[in-house]
Amino acid sequence: MSDTTQNGPMLAADGTTLKRSLARSLRREKTRALLLISPLLFFVFLSFIVPIVSMLFRSVENSIVQDTLPETVVALQSWDAQSGELPDEDVYAAFVRDMLVAIDEKTHTRLGSRLNYEETGMSSMFRRSGRQIKRLDPVEDAPFKDKLIEIHDGWGEVQTWAVIKTHSVQYTDGYFLNAIDMQRTVDGPAVQPENKQILIQLFWRTLQMSLIITGFCILLGYPVAWILANLPMRTANLLMILVLLPFWTSLLVRTSAWKVMLQQQGVINDVLVWLGMVDDAARLIIINNQIGTIIAMTHILLPFMILPMYSVMQTIPPTYLRAAKSLGASNWTAFWRVYFPQSVPGIGAGSILVFILAIGYYITPEIVGGTKGVFISNRIAYHISSSLNWGLAAALGTILLAAVLILYWAYDKIVGIDNVKLGG
Amino acid sequence: MKKLSPVLVLAAAAVAGSATAQEMTIVSWGGAYSNSQLRAYHEPFSEKTGVTIINDDSSAEAVAKLRAMNEAGNVTWDVVDVVAADAIRLCDEGLAMEIDADTQLAAAPDGTPASEDFGDLLVSDCFIPQIVYSTTFGYRTDLVGDTPPTDVCAVFDTATYPGKRSLEKRPINNMEWALICDGVAFEDVYDVLETEEGQNRALAKLDTIKDDVVWWSAGADTPQLLADGEVIMGSTYNGRLFSVIEEQNQPVAMLWDAQVFDLDGWIIPAGLSEERKQRALEYVYFATDTQRLADQAKYISYGPARASSAPLVGQHADLGIDMAPHMPTDPENAKRTFLYNYEFWADYRDDIDAKFQAWLAQ
């Protein structure tokens, strides 16, 4: 007790002030905690943050035109695309010099594919012209204007140069414009011709159908979760396995099984015809359309709804219901006024989970969706793997990500995110 | 963690070590097709050289994956099987290595240089042709009545042949067939399809059967739909129909009329190390010689890409039937064939696909 009689700050055993000693040990604690989670942080950073940022970046990045045709881009700056006249010889000469370098590095065809997204025909124009431009000499063969036009008519069209000029910026909004059925032209953004508009329609359809699927999951999942939560443990566990079993089956298997069930010569139609409920000549069409997608996806996503609902309902004491009833509430009132409000956090968590999963689904719609039941993600997959228009795919993905974040924010405003629980 | 790390290092070393051994990864389409390559090419090649071959069934996404690998600077594939259109794109993007047919591929047994033996089928500087396949129609013999179709336009004739048809969910081939059945001559099809009116004309023709079409996206869909009786006719690759008819004995027959010829073959990815490149070249030299290409036809009904292989095509290895009459190139089947125009689709693919998908969604 001699410390209390001393003047000055309290000292720790090693003679430093207690305050500093405490701060040091807290810091050590924090560093240790940080070190412990650092593998996870590192993993999340590498596998999550970096790909998303690079995707976001890809949707605006457009350096390929400048990198491949640096001199042409500079020369085109003094040309007025709206004048209706071809650029002068300077541009053509610069273009030949750029192309000779590009052909040597085999990047001219890559630029052709890029510009072909904007103007049909560019791909073969660059590929074919490349073979002949290769033989030109940048000094002796001048002037080039007529020679190039002779190699390919396209070089004599104002539109060709206008496209190159329009898309020569380092960062472009072109992909985002394409993603909402518009395009970048010399005169600024313009709407795509009507017969090419599809993406906005797909965005709406994706949102609508995801909402419908979420709604069906709530309707079907709520009673199941309620039964699970109120049965004795042993029976509940057995039933739980039935909920989880599809969860452990491959997604493709489940989707293909729906195909067998739903097709016109499938199990459901066969049974209905056999029972005489449906005429053999008028079998139901319940696959390769929106109905097929809704049925299959509701089934596939149902466990994601039931599990959070179940774990929330388990924590609601049954005594509350009994108390309500003993105070004179009818069965319905007791459920609606006492039980249901307490289960809302489970519905919220399940709905967010199902909706966000549904909005990005693509395998199931691809297999059972036909033409009217496909989602925007099917288009993203097409642009990633078939058309290789990764910029557009990235822009579509970014819009989808933004839509999810906005909906999440709206949910937080309306229901409150604190009101979401995955369990007790 | 301290105890774990040496183990991790060892594991990493083991993974890295195994990749440098005598091993190569060959990418193909999977299923019966990969199996035919395994038996005709991979097994004899492994026996001859001792190289272990790893199969990867990723050809459907080959272009996208090769581009991603190339950007990441880590190409893990050695030889890739792709359709000609993809080979052209890979070559355009600088993702595939250029091949000189005469010096890097085997000459025919009679000394004809490879470039002549393959002839027009060398559609790209990077492409080593392997087979000729066709996209054509099969129909249910028991569901078409007494007058089985002989003309591709039966697809558009829902009055005579009521029932569903399956078509691929993309414009390629469908637009051509639509125009042919709308009265356009074979040689004019691509000239017409170049114009906006021509594209609308093709879509208008397809519109007449839109409600009767099941759209497929995987080659196995049509055979399954035919077997289930979901559709009465449908397009797919001729080899798939061969296996439905001959191997599974389904009541299905081929409608060879206006079959669309296409090519499939090898490319070697750009940017391989010298050692891997040499091994890949050794493989394609071996696997695309006259005998080997003829051997593949023992297992699947696709025509060998070399002129010199055609006379060597024999019988199916397991079924014992003559393969020549099942080849898309057989004169009896090739009375009316349509040639896929690679350059046209390289240019118009994005444009027409957008219109086609917008039409589908209407």
Side-chain angles (χ1 to χ4, degrees), chain B residues 14-140:
Chain B
V15 171
S18 65
T20 57
Q22 287 278 307
E23 227 168 52
M24 61 192 294
T25 304
I26 296 187
V27 180
S28 188
W29 299 90
Y33 186 67
S34 278
N35 200 35
S36 72
Q37 292 176 327
L38 179 78
R39 293 172 73 176
Y41 312 150
H42 300 358
E43 283 173 0
F45 183 73
S46 293
E47 206 168 293
K48 185 177 155 216
T49 58
V51 174
T52 315
I53 291 175
I54 302 165
N55 273 304
D56 184 336
D57 300 337
S58 297
S59 281
E61 307 95 46
V63 185
K65 284 196 174 172
L66 273 173
R67 183 148 120 176
M69 284 184 191
N70 188 278
E71 282 187 13
N74 181 22
V75 180
T76 56
W77 294 345
D78 296 289
V79 181
V80 187
D81 187 296
V82 287
V83 292
D86 283 344
I88 293 173
R89 290 203 294 166
L90 286 166
C91 216
D92 277 0
E93 295 250 340
L95 297 172
M97 192 182 116
E98 285 185 17
I99 300 282
D100 178 31
D102 286 339
T103 57
Q104 292 175 310
L105 299 176
D110 63 0
T112 314
S115 61
E116 243 172 78
D117 205 11
F118 284 114
D120 293 340
L121 306 190
L122 287 165
V123 293
S124 157
D125 296 333
C126 305
F127 184 59
I128 309 156
Q130 188 186 153
I131 55 148
V132 177
Y133 71 95
S134 81
T135 308
T136 187
F137 284 89
Y139 59 89
R140 281 282 293 238

Side-chain angles (χ1 to χ4, degrees), chain B residues 163-292:
Chain B
K164 298 251 179 194
R165 302 90 166 89
S166 59
L167 293 175
E168 188 170 5
K169 206 198 270 180
R170 61 172 198 173
I172 297 171
N173 297 348
N174 294 329
M175 299 291 266
E176 288 100 318
W177 283 321
L179 285 181
I180 289 169
C181 292
D182 204 33
V184 177
F186 272 36
E187 61 274 20
D188 299 333
V189 164
Y190 286 111
D191 291 336
V192 174
L193 208 50
E194 247 175 36
T195 63
E196 187 87 31
E197 302 86 69
Q199 293 158 13
N200 290 338
R201 191 173 159 191
L203 288 176
K205 183 73 183 172
L206 284 167
D207 213 48
T208 60
I209 55 164
K210 196 176 178 186
D211 294 336
D212 296 299
V213 175
V214 175
W215 300 96
W216 61 268
S217 41
D221 287 346
T222 290
Q224 189 60 48
L225 290 166
L226 281 170
D228 291 349
E230 274 290 293
V231 298
I232 65 158
M233 57 180 79
S235 67
T236 189
Y237 314 122
N238 72 291
R240 301 274 190 171
L241 288 169
F242 171 82
S243 88
V244 171
I245 298 168
E246 298 296 337
E247 290 167 14
Q248 296 162 27
N249 292 313
Q250 296 286 338
V252 173
M254 307 278 293
L255 175 63
W256 289 104
D257 187 54
Q259 54 165 328
V260 183
F261 272 172
D262 200 347
L263 305 171
D264 194 273
W266 302 112
I267 61 101
I268 300 176
L272 294 184
S273 69
E274 193 56 33
E275 189 200 349
R276 285 172 64 196
K277 194 170 98 183
Q278 286 313 322
R279 204 179 299 147
L281 281 168
E282 195 187 344
Y283 174 84
V284 293
Y285 184 93
F286 174 84
T288 61
D289 71 10
T290 302
Q291 185 58 48
R292 238 52 60 184

